[in-house]
Amino acid sequence: MRYLGGLLFAVLFFGVTGCNPSSQHAESISVAEGPPVKEVIEWRLATSWPKNFPGLGMAPERFATLVDEMSHGRLHISVYGAGELMPAFAVFDGVSQGKIQMAHAASYYWKGKAPASQFFSSIPFGMTAQEMNGWLHYGGGMALWEEVYRPFGIIPLAGGNTGMQMGGWFNKPINTIADFKGLKIRMPGLGGEVLKRAGAVPVNMPGRELYGALQTGSIDAAEWVGPVNDLAFGLHKVAKYYYYPGWHEPGSNMEFLINKDAFENLPKDLQAIVKTAARAINQDMLDEYTTRNVSALETLVKEEGVELKAFPSAVLTELERISQQVIAEQAQQDPMMDKVYRAYHAYEQGVREYHKISEDAYSQQRQH
């Protein structure tokens, strides 16, 4: 692979071989290690992100390239950014209704359709990226995710993780919990519900609308992702303070949505390629954010003069208290959400105890 190096070799247990791309659109494709392939399967993938946007937008592009190369051009996936085929928040219905075969998005956008979906992206004061990957792939999380999406005819796959996000952009300082009262802030998912309980007015809008909304004052604050994506949108030009940590999204998992019928109509080897490519991209996104956020934050602070501020400890403590209350209340209102909440919480408690004497202990010592 040109950009993932030897990553494919780590997943050869799927029985997938061959890396050299063949002609993608020819009626007959000659594969050196097998018989001629006479049919190219064409899929469309719509995202909730701007086309080729750093990190989020590039993940589906790289996924499509991997699938094309691994399948020797037998499965060709065309990627469309938000608004090209459909609005950013319409991709779930697009996949469910079979208008498109795939999408790339974040599951907490669908809380109105399936409240339990929020646990498969990120919840306030929840699991980190590493913990989420463990839960999904070895702790039973994927089976629950599949169960949540089954009524919609959708198969989910983990599609990357941004890691710990930033707390957001503000034009006034946050010194106490009372400073959130009346604040109009872009924040989706359970984080928005928590701030609503704290007196804020949460707004959900696509990322490409944030700059204009902050510039015109239609919102007072906004969280997006982190340094790489925030710098790309120029949010530092329309907001004064950049807060951390991202208590609302400590490990934001992205998703590939696949139309169930389209997937099941694929040959078994192409199904394996789709899953393998998604698993590779899931790790690739986290690796990229971990690296690129470092230089992007340095640019924001040292070159753009951004004022970096930490949420006061008392504010975070109160937000955590409200978070626990809001999540428990919502879980009681939906049986599926309650089922996922209990499983998520049980896994989180176990991994948190282990990390106290591993990851956390090391991080604390490294500060000295």
Side-chain angles (χ1 to χ4, degrees):
M1 295 302 168
R2 288 185 291 273
Y3 51 83
L4 289 180
L7 184 55
L8 178 58
F9 295 103
V11 290
L12 285 179
F13 58 85
F14 280 101
V16 180
T17 60
C19 300
N20 295 323
S22 301
S23 173
Q24 298 175 0
H25 302 288
E27 292 183 1
S28 179
I29 297 176
S30 295
V31 180
E33 298 173 4
V37 179
K38 296 183 178 180
E39 181 182 2
V40 175
I41 299 172
E42 297 278 355
W43 275 16
R44 297 191 300 172
L45 186 160
T47 80
S48 293
W49 332 113
K51 181 73 171 177
N52 294 328
F53 195 61
L56 297 175
M58 288 307 300
E61 301 284 349
R62 292 169 179 164
F63 167 80
T65 299
L66 268 179
V67 169
D68 193 75
E69 293 182 348
M70 293 164 68
S71 70
H72 288 198
R74 291 167 56 211
L75 177 56
H76 178 72
I77 301 175
S78 298
V79 179
Y80 300 86
E84 291 187 321
L85 281 182
M86 56 191 64
F89 297 149
V91 300
F92 186 94
D93 287 341
V95 174
S96 179
Q97 296 165 9
K99 295 178 180 178
I100 52 177
Q101 289 77 30
M102 288 192 70
H104 190 258
S107 65
Y108 55 32
Y109 291 151
W110 327 127
K111 66 177 184 178
K113 303 175 185 295
S117 67
Q118 298 172 95
F119 286 95
F120 303 103
S121 183
S122 192
I123 66 170
F125 299 96
M127 288 192 275
T128 65
Q130 181 178 341
E131 292 165 350
M132 274 294 295
N133 280 328
W135 179 57
L136 290 174
H137 298 121
Y138 285 94
M142 279 306 309
L144 288 169
W145 200 358
E146 291 168 358
E147 184 178 351
V148 171
Y149 282 4
R150 193 168 294 129
F152 303 95
I154 292 176
I155 296 172
L157 293 174
N161 201 302
T162 66
M164 173 69 70
Q165 296 199 1
M166 292 293 288
W169 296 89
F170 295 76
N171 277 313
K172 74 171 189 177
I174 302 296
N175 297 315
T176 70
I177 198 71
D179 290 325
F180 283 109
K181 189 171 183 180
L183 192 77
K184 217 184 239 190
I185 179 171
R186 185 272 182 190
M187 183 173 286
L190 287 165
E193 293 299 318
V194 171
L195 288 186
K196 183 178 181 179
R197 187 72 59 91
V201 181
V203 178
N204 193 14
M205 63 176 63
R208 58 193 173 91
E209 298 178 12
L210 297 183
Y211 185 97
L214 282 168
Q215 187 178 45
T216 61
S218 61
I219 58 175
D220 306 307
E223 67 78 37
W224 178 223
V225 181
V228 170
N229 294 132
D230 295 1
L231 178 63
F233 270 157
L235 299 182
H236 57 284
K237 299 176 182 178
V238 288
K240 185 175 182 180
Y241 304 111
Y242 199 24
Y243 271 89
Y244 69 92
W247 57 271
H248 60 295
E249 294 188 45
S252 300
N253 187 62
M254 302 300 117
E255 64 180 358
F256 284 110
L257 303 167
I258 309 176
N259 178 272
K260 182 175 180 290
D261 290 339
F263 183 79
E264 291 180 347
N265 284 331
L266 290 177
K268 293 296 183 182
D269 65 322
L270 293 185
Q271 291 181 5
I273 284 173
V274 168
K275 289 184 175 182
T276 302
R279 188 69 176 268
I281 293 303
N282 186 58
Q283 184 63 47
D284 182 66
M285 182 192 285
L286 181 59
D287 296 346
E288 181 179 18
Y289 273 109
T290 300
T291 301
R292 296 185 64 190
N293 275 333
V294 176
S295 57
L297 182 62
E298 185 174 343
T299 298
L300 285 168
V301 174
K302 294 184 178 180
E303 297 181 22
E304 300 295 339
V306 167
E307 189 168 345
L308 194 62
K309 295 178 73 69
F311 285 117
S313 179
V315 170
L316 291 173
T317 298
E318 180 62 11
L319 288 172
E320 185 171 15
R321 184 193 68 79
I322 297 173
S323 297
Q324 293 172 350
Q325 186 180 66
V326 167
I327 294 170
E329 289 176 3
Q330 289 199 12
Q332 291 176 359
Q333 298 171 12
D334 182 85
M336 190 69 234
M337 185 173 180
D338 184 61
K339 179 178 180 179
V340 175
Y341 167 63
R342 291 176 183 277
Y344 181 103
H345 184 66
Y347 184 89
E348 181 188 21
Q349 288 297 105
V351 77
R352 181 180 292 184
E353 287 301 311
Y354 174 69
H355 278 170
K356 283 181 181 179
I357 54 91
S358 56
E359 304 287 337
D360 298 346
Y362 174 70
S363 293
Q364 291 172 10
Q365 180 61 36
R366 192 163 58 169
Q367 294 173 8
H368 296 294

